[in-house]
PDB file of all heavy atoms in Angstrom:
ATOM      1  N   VAL A  26      85.789  86.125 122.081  1.00  0.00           N
ATOM      2  CA  VAL A  26      86.762  87.044 121.485  1.00  0.00           C
ATOM      3  C   VAL A  26      86.908  88.351 122.272  1.00  0.00           C
ATOM      4  O   VAL A  26      88.001  88.927 122.314  1.00  0.00           O
ATOM      5  CB  VAL A  26      86.412  87.348 120.015  1.00  0.00           C
ATOM      6  CG1 VAL A  26      86.572  86.111 119.151  1.00  0.00           C
ATOM      7  CG2 VAL A  26      85.023  87.934 119.872  1.00  0.00           C
ATOM      8  N   ASN A  74      95.022  88.633 107.619  1.00  0.00           N
ATOM      9  CA  ASN A  74      96.361  88.111 107.365  1.00  0.00           C
ATOM     10  C   ASN A  74      97.078  88.862 106.241  1.00  0.00           C
ATOM     11  O   ASN A  74      98.314  88.870 106.188  1.00  0.00           O
ATOM     12  CB  ASN A  74      96.278  86.623 107.031  1.00  0.00           C
ATOM     13  CG  ASN A  74      97.629  85.960 106.953  1.00  0.00           C
ATOM     14  OD1 ASN A  74      98.420  86.026 107.892  1.00  0.00           O
ATOM     15  ND2 ASN A  74      97.929  85.323 105.831  1.00  0.00           N
ATOM     16  N   PHE A  77      98.344  91.881 108.566  1.00  0.00           N
ATOM     17  CA  PHE A  77      99.015  91.652 109.852  1.00  0.00           C
ATOM     18  C   PHE A  77      99.561  90.232 109.918  1.00  0.00           C
ATOM     19  O   PHE A  77      98.905  89.292 109.468  1.00  0.00           O
ATOM     20  CB  PHE A  77      98.044  91.883 111.011  1.00  0.00           C
ATOM     21  CG  PHE A  77      97.330  93.205 110.936  1.00  0.00           C
ATOM     22  CD1 PHE A  77      96.009  93.265 110.514  1.00  0.00           C
ATOM     23  CD2 PHE A  77      97.973  94.379 111.271  1.00  0.00           C
ATOM     24  CE1 PHE A  77      95.344  94.476 110.430  1.00  0.00           C
ATOM     25  CE2 PHE A  77      97.318  95.605 111.189  1.00  0.00           C
ATOM     26  CZ  PHE A  77      95.999  95.649 110.767  1.00  0.00           C
ATOM     27  N   HIS A 106     104.847  79.232 110.674  1.00  0.00           N
ATOM     28  CA  HIS A 106     105.664  79.363 111.884  1.00  0.00           C
ATOM     29  C   HIS A 106     104.886  79.885 113.097  1.00  0.00           C
ATOM     30  O   HIS A 106     105.459  80.034 114.177  1.00  0.00           O
ATOM     31  CB  HIS A 106     106.863  80.271 111.617  1.00  0.00           C
ATOM     32  CG  HIS A 106     107.750  79.775 110.508  1.00  0.00           C
ATOM     33  ND1 HIS A 106     108.421  78.576 110.582  1.00  0.00           N
ATOM     34  CD2 HIS A 106     108.038  80.314 109.294  1.00  0.00           C
ATOM     35  CE1 HIS A 106     109.106  78.388 109.464  1.00  0.00           C
ATOM     36  NE2 HIS A 106     108.891  79.424 108.667  1.00  0.00           N
ATOM     37  N   LYS A 116      81.856  72.613 126.662  1.00  0.00           N
ATOM     38  CA  LYS A 116      80.623  72.872 127.394  1.00  0.00           C
ATOM     39  C   LYS A 116      80.675  74.286 127.968  1.00  0.00           C
ATOM     40  O   LYS A 116      81.689  74.698 128.523  1.00  0.00           O
ATOM     41  CB  LYS A 116      80.459  71.860 128.538  1.00  0.00           C
ATOM     42  CG  LYS A 116      79.138  71.928 129.272  1.00  0.00           C
ATOM     43  CD  LYS A 116      79.022  70.790 130.278  1.00  0.00           C
ATOM     44  CE  LYS A 116      77.687  70.801 130.990  1.00  0.00           C
ATOM     45  NZ  LYS A 116      77.559  69.681 131.946  1.00  0.00           N
ATOM     46  N   GLU A 180      90.491  66.802 143.541  1.00  0.00           N
ATOM     47  CA  GLU A 180      91.547  66.459 144.481  1.00  0.00           C
ATOM     48  C   GLU A 180      92.512  67.610 144.738  1.00  0.00           C
ATOM     49  O   GLU A 180      92.904  67.861 145.872  1.00  0.00           O
ATOM     50  CB  GLU A 180      92.327  65.240 143.970  1.00  0.00           C
ATOM     51  CG  GLU A 180      91.462  63.982 143.861  1.00  0.00           C
ATOM     52  CD  GLU A 180      92.238  62.808 143.316  1.00  0.00           C
ATOM     53  OE1 GLU A 180      93.441  62.975 143.011  1.00  0.00           O
ATOM     54  OE2 GLU A 180      91.647  61.714 143.186  1.00  0.00           O
ATOM     55  N   GLY A 183      92.780  73.951 141.520  1.00  0.00           N
ATOM     56  CA  GLY A 183      93.635  75.074 141.156  1.00  0.00           C
ATOM     57  C   GLY A 183      95.053  74.705 140.770  1.00  0.00           C
ATOM     58  O   GLY A 183      95.822  75.575 140.361  1.00  0.00           O
ATOM     59  N   MET A 193     106.910  66.814 132.737  1.00  0.00           N
ATOM     60  CA  MET A 193     105.703  67.323 133.360  1.00  0.00           C
ATOM     61  C   MET A 193     106.077  68.313 134.449  1.00  0.00           C
ATOM     62  O   MET A 193     106.993  68.059 135.246  1.00  0.00           O
ATOM     63  CB  MET A 193     104.876  66.183 133.976  1.00  0.00           C
ATOM     64  CG  MET A 193     103.566  66.657 134.591  1.00  0.00           C
ATOM     65  SD  MET A 193     102.740  65.354 135.558  1.00  0.00           S
ATOM     66  CE  MET A 193     103.751  65.362 137.047  1.00  0.00           C
ATOM     67  N   ILE A 249      81.768  88.420 136.319  1.00  0.00           N
ATOM     68  CA  ILE A 249      82.507  89.148 135.281  1.00  0.00           C
ATOM     69  C   ILE A 249      83.742  89.761 135.922  1.00  0.00           C
ATOM     70  O   ILE A 249      83.646  90.687 136.735  1.00  0.00           O
ATOM     71  CB  ILE A 249      81.650  90.237 134.617  1.00  0.00           C
ATOM     72  CG1 ILE A 249      80.429  89.603 133.941  1.00  0.00           C
ATOM     73  CG2 ILE A 249      82.486  91.031 133.611  1.00  0.00           C
ATOM     74  CD1 ILE A 249      80.748  88.751 132.728  1.00  0.00           C
TER      75      ILE A 249
END
Side-chain angles (χ1 to χ4, degrees):
V26 293
N74 188 55
F77 309 103
H106 301 297
K116 187 174 182 179
E180 297 178 359
M193 183 190 76
I249 299 291

